[in-house]
């Protein structure tokens, strides 16, 4: 049902995650050396720590999720995470960007400028539909919010590809792992187990 839901949206349009819907998520261990963007990659988690994110959960295993409010893949990953956050001791830090559709920036701004940003993200996902995508109403971002979202987008681009959702974490082996695209529940459990405490 869920895949049919996504496939309906994707008829003639396969841009959301930058991947065709049939292609699985791509896990990339970010290299520390021998890469044109090695310096950016080495600083990726540090930059994310100072990004404009919204946290859910209080566990020791920190997972960053860069997402667009209008991305169906992001919506699916968000849903997959919900029942796993507390039992697996995770903290998910949602890093909004706004570039997929005309209303994406305004919806991402509405999240960051809300009195309760996590509640705004929850509303966006709870009311997600294939006509208007994210459930929040867009707003005109303040200059500070616009700069914050530009900073978040710059971090996404520093991963090497502007694909949402992008999941980033430090593994138990001390490596920075970047996952582009969606995951099913079983794979998500494996990711959460791999995050360093």
């Amino acid at each position: 049902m869920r895949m049919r839901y996504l496939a309906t949206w994707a008829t003639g349009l396969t841009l959301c995650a930058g991947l065709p819907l049939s292609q699985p998520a791509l896990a990339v261990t970010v290299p520390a050396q021998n890469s044109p963007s090695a310096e950016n990659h080495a600083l990726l988690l540090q930059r994310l720590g100072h990004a404009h994110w919204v946290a859910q959960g209080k566990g020791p295993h920190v997972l960053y999720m860069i997402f667009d409010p209008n991305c169906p893949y992001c919506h699916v990953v968000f849903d997959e995470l919900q029942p796993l956050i507390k039992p697996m001791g995770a903290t998910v830090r949602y890093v909004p960007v706004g570039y997929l559709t005309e209303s994406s920036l305004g919806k991402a701004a509405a999240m960051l400028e809300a009195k309760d940003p996590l509640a705004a993200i929850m509303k966006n996902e709870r009311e997600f539909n294939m006509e208007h995508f994210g459930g929040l109403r867009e707003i005109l971002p303040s200059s500070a919010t616009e700069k914050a979202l530009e900073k978040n987008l710059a971090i996404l681009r520093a991963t090497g590809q502007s694909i949402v959702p992008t999941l980033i974490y430090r593994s138990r082996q001390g490596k920075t792992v970047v996952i582009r695209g969606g995951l099913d529940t079983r794979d998500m459990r494996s990711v959460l187990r791999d995050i360093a405490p």
Side-chain angles (χ1 to χ4, degrees):
M1 177 68 175
R2 179 171 283 170
M3 291 312 294
R4 191 177 325 130
Y5 179 74
L6 291 177
T8 300
W9 176 81
T11 301
L13 179 68
T14 55
L15 67 81
C16 185
L19 300 169
L21 285 167
S22 60
Q23 186 166 342
L26 304 174
V28 179
T29 301
V30 176
Q33 299 175 352
N34 303 323
S35 168
S37 55
E39 183 177 348
N40 286 341
H41 287 158
L43 297 173
L44 193 57
L45 284 169
Q46 182 180 343
R47 290 178 69 185
L48 280 165
H50 297 287
H52 296 268
W53 44 261
V54 178
Q56 180 184 15
K58 298 181 179 178
H61 308 284
V62 178
L63 173 69
Y64 289 92
M65 176 178 167
I66 305 178
F67 75 103
D68 186 290
N70 287 328
C71 168
Y73 282 96
C74 302
H75 175 64
V76 170
V77 170
F78 179 89
D79 280 351
E80 297 290 353
L81 276 168
Q82 295 313 297
L84 302 177
I85 292 173
K86 187 173 182 179
M88 297 200 70
T91 296
V92 180
R93 293 179 177 175
Y94 300 105
V95 183
V97 295
Y99 75 97
L100 281 181
T101 71
E102 289 183 8
S103 66
S104 291
L105 182 66
K107 290 179 182 181
M111 292 172 178
L112 292 184
E113 293 188 26
K115 289 182 180 178
D116 185 341
L118 181 58
I121 290 173
M122 294 291 190
K123 174 180 171 61
N124 186 75
E125 301 306 322
R126 187 174 58 249
E127 298 179 11
F128 196 98
N129 64 71
M130 298 311 286
E131 184 178 354
H132 302 290
F133 305 109
L136 281 185
R137 289 186 178 180
E138 58 185 303
I139 65 168
L140 185 65
S142 68
S143 58
T145 299
E146 196 165 357
K147 287 178 183 175
L149 290 169
E150 286 172 3
K151 182 177 179 181
N152 286 356
L153 187 56
I155 293 171
L156 175 61
R157 289 177 175 149
T159 68
Q161 294 185 40
S162 298
I163 291 175
V164 288
T166 289
L167 305 176
I168 304 169
Y169 65 92
R170 184 175 303 284
S171 74
R172 292 180 180 274
Q173 292 74 38
K175 297 178 180 178
T176 301
V177 178
V178 177
I179 299 172
R180 301 181 181 101
L183 292 171
D184 64 22
T185 302
R186 183 178 58 186
D187 291 336
M188 186 64 75
R189 286 181 183 276
S190 296
V191 164
L192 294 176
R193 280 194 290 266
D194 187 47
I195 300 175

